[in-house]
């Protein structure tokens, strides 16, 4: 059983991204621009009146669902292409081949949905257990102190939520290795993926989280800058500002995604495949 070197893996991820930053920006340019234009167009078509009507609320809900679907599709296209950039750098990938839909992306999307269903099921199940246990502890505490039901400590809820979040993130750390396998046509089963990550759950979680930390911080800085500019300039409702804000936020978001994808690829390669010599990305 191979143990991941957390520090070396993180440095490898960040070093790979820095070395291949021109390729990264070329590859994320299309989804960032497309999503920003779509977001701006939806904002233009769905103005926010002072008193929203039922029809507008329904249209906004449908538009949000469509945006989530389109964002997911662009994520799949980019993630598959970047996984292959990390794991098969000898390929001379073009932007067209990166964004073109194929069976590989369908399999990646299917695996992503399966993982999401598993995580949601686990989160709900653990949530029910934590709620029952927390409720029992709260009831005993209430009876023992003679306090009212409102005196049940809110700390129990915070601890329960933390347990659920950590448990789900740890499970995702193991199951997510199924995704880079799909990107490189590795017929790895879900059970084999679970076994592959055995003994490295916390290490995988640490590599992905710590490697993504600079990107997450960058996203929050961009988000705060956009909000501050919106308030100070008073242009938050203009389409031009919305387009610029969408471009900035989508760019920051895809940098975070790229770090996460690179981290998963690095972990997968360390546990599953030897490294291969690199070649440049071609447009």
């Amino acid at each position: 059983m191979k143990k991941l070197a957390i520090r070396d893996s993180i440095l490898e991820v960040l070093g790979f991204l820095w070395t291949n930053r021109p390729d990264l920006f070329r590859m994320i340019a299309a989804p960032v621009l497309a999503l920003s234009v779509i977001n701006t167009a939806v904002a233009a078509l769905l103005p926010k009146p002072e008193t929203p009507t039922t029809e507008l609320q329904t249209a906004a809900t449908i538009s949000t669902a469509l945006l989530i679907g389109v964002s997911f599709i662009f994520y799949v296209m980019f993630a598959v292409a970047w996984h292959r950039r990390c794991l098969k750098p000898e390929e001379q990938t073009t932007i067209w081949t990166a964004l073109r839909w194929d069976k590989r992306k369908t399999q990646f999307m299917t695996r992503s949905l399966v993982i999401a269903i598993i995580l949601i099921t686990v989160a709900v199940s653990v949530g029910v257990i934590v709620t029952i246990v927390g409720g029992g502890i709260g009831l005993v505490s209430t009876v023992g102190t003679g306090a009212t039901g409102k005196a049940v400590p809110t700390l129990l809820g915070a601890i329960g939520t933390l347990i659920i979040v950590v448990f789900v993130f740890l499970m995702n750390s193991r199951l997510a290795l199924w995704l880079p396998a799909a990107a490189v046509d590795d017929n790895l089963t879900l059970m084999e993926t679970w076994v592959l990550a055995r003994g490295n759950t916390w290490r995988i979680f640490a590599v992905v989280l710590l490697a993504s930390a600079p990107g997450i911080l960058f996203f929050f800085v961009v988000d705060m800058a956009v909000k501050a500019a919106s308030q100070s300039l008073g242009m938050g409702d203009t389409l031009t500002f919305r387009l610029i804000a969408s471009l900035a936020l989508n760019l920051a978001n895809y940098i975070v995604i790229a770090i996460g994808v690179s981290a998963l690829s690095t972990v997968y390669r360390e546990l599953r495949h030897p490294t291969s010599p690199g070649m440049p990305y071609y447009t």
Side-chain angles (χ1 to χ4, degrees):
M1 185 185 302
K2 183 175 182 178
K3 293 292 184 181
L4 285 173
I6 297 177
R7 176 179 174 274
D8 292 343
S9 296
I10 293 173
L11 292 177
E12 183 177 349
V13 171
L14 298 179
F16 173 82
L17 288 166
W18 179 255
T19 302
N20 296 279
R21 61 190 184 281
D23 297 348
L24 174 61
F25 287 118
R26 292 190 195 104
M27 200 175 290
I28 67 177
V32 166
L33 179 59
L35 288 174
S36 299
V37 171
I38 293 172
N39 287 335
T40 306
V42 170
L45 295 173
L46 291 175
K48 295 182 179 180
E50 295 182 359
T51 307
T53 62
T54 303
E55 291 77 10
L56 280 177
Q57 290 177 343
T58 302
T61 302
I62 295 174
S63 299
T64 301
L66 290 175
L67 283 174
I68 293 174
V70 171
S71 299
F72 179 61
I73 290 173
F74 274 112
Y75 156 74
V76 170
M77 291 190 293
F78 169 75
V80 170
W82 195 247
H83 273 306
R84 293 187 70 83
R85 182 66 184 85
C86 296
L87 297 170
K88 290 184 174 293
E90 68 276 5
E91 287 187 349
Q92 297 183 0
T93 308
T94 64
I95 294 177
W96 166 244
T97 56
L99 298 180
R100 183 184 58 197
W101 196 267
D102 51 30
K103 292 182 179 180
R104 186 179 295 125
K105 294 181 177 65
T106 300
Q107 185 181 49
F108 187 96
M109 181 177 66
T110 302
R111 291 188 179 188
S112 298
L113 294 175
V114 170
I115 292 173
I117 292 172
I118 292 174
L119 294 179
I120 292 172
T121 303
V122 170
V124 172
S125 302
V126 175
V128 170
I129 295 173
V130 170
T131 300
I132 294 174
V133 174
I137 295 175
L139 180 61
V140 171
S141 175
T142 300
V143 173
T145 59
T148 63
K150 295 182 179 179
V152 176
T154 56
L155 181 61
L156 290 175
I159 294 176
T161 302
L162 181 62
I163 291 174
I164 295 172
V165 170
V166 171
F167 193 80
V168 169
F169 269 98
L170 289 176
M171 278 202 67
N172 184 62
S173 297
R174 297 184 69 160
L175 297 177
L177 294 181
W178 205 26
L179 300 180
V184 294
D185 306 318
D186 183 1
N187 294 322
L188 198 67
T189 66
L190 189 59
M191 184 57 65
E192 289 171 341
T193 303
W194 185 263
V195 174
L196 178 67
R198 184 175 55 191
N200 286 292
T201 304
W202 281 100
R203 293 172 182 270
I204 297 171
F205 176 74
V207 169
V208 176
L209 179 62
L210 296 177
S212 301
I216 295 173
L217 177 61
F218 175 67
F219 179 86
F220 281 125
V221 170
V222 172
D223 184 54
M224 289 188 295
V226 168
K227 291 178 179 177
S230 175
Q231 294 177 355
S232 62
L233 299 176
M235 300 173 59
D237 293 331
T238 64
L239 294 180
T240 300
F241 182 85
R242 287 181 177 178
L243 178 60
I244 295 173
S246 293
L247 286 170
L249 291 172
N250 282 319
L251 175 62
N253 182 47
Y254 263 84
I255 289 175
V256 176
I257 292 174
I259 298 174
V261 169
S262 302
L264 285 177
S265 292
T266 300
V267 171
Y268 172 80
R269 182 176 60 240
E270 290 296 320
L271 298 179
R272 183 75 171 172
H273 289 297
T275 56
S276 59
M279 287 186 68
Y281 178 89
Y282 292 91
T283 57

